[in-house]
Structures are given as structure tokens and as C-alpha cells.
């Protein structure tokens, strides 16, 4: 085939990323525009993810003005508009996942500090430091948990429906990010879940655990809760001052 003919068959589709997806996309210009080669049939999911934006970040896709699902095939010349959550266009979305009954999470192996903080705020945050990508994707699907990760490739797995790409690499900022994204303000319940193992905490009489306490703790505290799974004890002030300040901060509704 002559080169000129081959080039004539190649083409591009133009993708416009809205909201903060313009910052997530690798190849987008200042207006959120990216040009994606379409030299073979490709799904709109594939075209969007070739720009580094996992499908889990996308709430609505329009191709030439029509709402489509991720399997829709794009061809050269198509105009694709990609919207994140919270941009309400009053257009029925074909890609929005079913809502989950409650906000529960599974975190990848690099987010242990975020998992601990979410648990201390009372949120169900599953985390294992030896989970591989297949484990994480399967747990998200089968246990209906939001998969939290900074790994775009993990969120691009077709099996993952409920996921969120953590933007920040700073643990305190990551907590604020999750609180904002999932609207968790007002749902904070400190000292209800174990930071070590995600088990539920329950009140325990001081007399029963008295022998486990350091003298200063025994003198200063009378109310204790204990993890039903691993036995870890907690009391007011048992977690760091930094976290207590953070609890006050998030309870105040700021971010
Ligand atoms: Zn525990």
C-alpha cells in the first residue's frame, strides 16, 4: 500500500476533558483538549484511557453530542466530551455505575497511612500490604467497595466499576480528598473502628483490661473501647494529636 494511501486512512478523534479530568489527562492542552489517533476500531473507554484517565473517573461521555457507554466505538473525526462527577448536565449517563449502599473502601498496598486514618475516622477501609492488583479488583467488585489507588492502570481494568484515583501523594491531603469526593463530612465517627485491622470497636469495662494499662493511662482515663478482631485498646487521646486535630477539622465541615 502506498504511504500516502495509508496516511489517508489514519485519523484522530478529539477528546475534551472537563473539570479536573483536564489535569488528570496526560495529553490534554490548557483547554482540556486531546487528540487521539484512531487508526483501528477502538472503544471510547480505550480512547479515553489512552490519555491516562481511568474510566472510573468518568461520569458522562458524549460522542458527537450523544450520551454513550464505554463500549461505543469511536471513529476518526468524532468529537468526544468526557465529564467527571459533579458536573450536572441533565443528560442521562450511560457510564455512571450503580450507587453503592454505603461508602466502604479497599485501598491498594501504597495507601496504608490513608487506610489507617480513614479507619480512625470510623470508615470501613479494607487494606492488606500484600494484596496484588487482581486481589484488589476482585475485592472491590465482590465486596462492593470503592477501590482507592494512585495506580491508573489498576483502575483501567474493565472489571473495576467503583474506583477513585487518589490525586495527592500526601496522606493528610489524601484524607481530605476522600472526604470531599465521597461527601463524608458528617459521617465521621472516631473510635468506632480499629486502625490496625479495620475491626469494629466496642466498649470494654476498665476493670477487665486494667492489667494491660500503663500507669499514666490508668490514672487519666476511665472509658475504653477494644477491637473485637485483634484486641487493640483505644481511649480518647490514644491516637495522635495530629489526628485529633484533623477530626475536629473535618467535623467542622472544612477541607
Ligand atoms: Zn483490630
Amino acid at each position: 500500500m502506498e504511504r500516502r494511501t495509508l496516511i489517508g486512512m489514519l485519523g484522530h478523534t478529539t477528546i475534551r476533558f472537563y473539570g479536573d479530568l483536564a489535569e488528570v489527562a496526560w495529553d490534554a492542552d490548557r483547554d482540556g483538549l486531546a487528540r487521539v489517533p484512531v487508526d483501528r476500531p477502538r472503544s471510547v473507554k480505550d480512547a479515553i484511557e489512552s490519555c491516562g484517565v481511568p474510566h472510573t473517573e468518568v461520569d458522562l461521555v458524549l460522542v458527537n453530542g450523544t450520551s454513550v457507554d464505554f463500549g461505543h466505538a469511536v471513529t476518526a473525526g468524532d468529537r468526544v466530551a468526557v465529564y467527571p462527577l459533579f458536573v450536572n448536565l441533565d443528560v442521562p449517563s450511560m457510564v455512571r455505575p450503580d450507587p453503592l449502599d454505603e461508602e466502604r473502601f479497599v485501598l491498594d498496598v501504597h495507601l496504608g497511612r490513608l487506610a489507617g486514618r480513614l479507619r480512625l475516622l470510623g470508615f470501613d477501609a479494607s487494606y492488606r500490604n500484600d494484596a496484588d492488583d487482581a486481589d484488589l479488583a476482585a475485592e472491590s467488585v465482590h465486596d462492593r467497595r470503592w477501590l482507592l489507588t494512585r495506580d491508573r492502570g489498576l483502575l483501567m481494568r474493565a472489571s473495576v466499576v467503583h474506583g477513585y484515583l487518589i490525586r495527592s501523594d500526601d496522606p493528610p491531603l489524601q484524607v481530605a480528598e476522600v472526604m470531599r469526593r465521597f461527601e463524608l463530612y458528617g459521617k465521621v465517627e472516631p473510635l468506632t473502628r480499629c486502625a490496625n485491622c479495620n475491626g469494629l470497636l466496642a466498649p470494654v469495662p476498665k476493670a477487665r483490661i486494667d492489667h494491660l494499662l500503663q500507669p499514666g493511662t490508668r490514672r487519666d482515663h476511665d472509658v475504653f473501647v477494644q477491637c473485637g478482631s485483634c484486641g487493640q485498646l483505644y481511649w480518647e487521646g490514644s491516637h495522635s494529636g495530629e489526628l485529633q486535630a484533623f477530626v475536629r477539622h473535618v467535623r467542622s465541615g472544612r477541607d
Side-chain angles (χ1 to χ4, degrees):
M1 186 179 294
E2 284 185 25
R3 179 173 168 73
R4 180 177 299 174
T5 310
L6 183 63
I7 290 173
M9 291 174 61
L10 300 177
H12 290 82
T13 181
T14 306
I15 303 183
R16 182 168 215 138
F17 292 98
Y18 288 86
D20 83 333
L21 296 185
E23 291 148 41
V24 176
W26 289 318
D27 304 322
D29 66 14
R30 289 169 55 186
D31 297 324
L33 278 170
R35 273 161 58 84
V36 175
V38 185
D39 53 357
R40 56 187 166 78
R42 66 192 314 188
S43 68
V44 73
K45 172 182 184 290
D46 183 38
I48 291 168
E49 292 188 334
S50 74
C51 300
V53 177
H55 70 281
T56 53
E57 300 303 298
V58 176
D59 190 55
L60 174 68
V61 183
L62 303 181
V63 175
N64 303 323
T66 301
S67 182
V68 300
D69 64 23
F70 285 126
H72 180 90
V74 287
T75 54
D78 280 345
R79 289 172 295 105
V80 182
V82 182
Y83 297 88
L85 199 64
F86 303 127
V87 176
N88 189 352
L89 285 190
D90 210 19
V91 177
S93 173
M94 307 295 284
V95 301
R96 186 177 300 146
D98 297 336
L100 296 180
D101 296 337
E102 57 179 322
E103 309 299 8
R104 301 187 305 144
F105 306 99
V106 54
L107 290 81
D108 86 11
V109 294
H110 303 293
L111 296 177
R113 293 176 69 190
L114 174 60
R117 283 173 157 84
L118 289 174
R119 290 168 177 174
L120 284 169
L121 294 171
F123 300 111
D124 186 339
S126 177
Y127 169 82
R128 285 193 355 245
N129 62 9
D130 62 349
D132 65 23
D133 285 1
D135 295 335
L136 293 164
E139 183 170 355
S140 169
V141 173
H142 296 132
D143 214 13
R144 295 184 61 76
R145 292 174 178 272
W146 287 98
L147 176 53
L148 305 183
T149 179
R150 284 179 48 75
D151 179 349
R152 297 169 190 239
L154 177 53
L155 294 178
M156 290 179 186
R157 287 179 171 238
S159 65
V160 176
V161 176
H162 297 91
Y164 173 68
L165 182 71
I166 299 287
R167 270 61 160 175
S168 174
D169 58 6
D170 179 59
L173 291 179
Q174 289 171 345
V175 180
E177 201 182 311
V178 172
M179 299 288 297
R180 195 165 52 235
R181 163 64 181 78
F182 295 97
E183 300 180 327
L184 299 178
Y185 299 104
K187 297 181 181 175
V188 173
E189 293 183 88
L191 290 184
T192 56
R193 197 169 282 276
C194 179
N196 290 345
C197 77
N198 204 35
L200 288 171
L201 307 182
V204 58
K206 187 176 184 180
R208 194 189 301 168
I209 45 93
D210 191 72
H211 61 290
L212 299 173
L213 302 177
Q214 298 291 327
T217 306
R218 183 182 295 121
R219 184 187 63 233
D220 294 341
H221 298 277
D222 292 313
V223 178
F224 296 87
V225 290
Q226 188 168 30
C227 176
S229 299
C230 76
Q232 176 76 39
L233 283 173
Y234 295 82
W235 55 94
E236 283 293 340
S238 60
H239 45 293
S240 72
E242 177 201 356
L243 190 82
Q244 284 186 302
F246 184 73
V247 168
R248 283 195 298 276
H249 182 64
V250 297
R251 277 189 153 169
S252 73
R254 298 190 305 266
D255 59 8

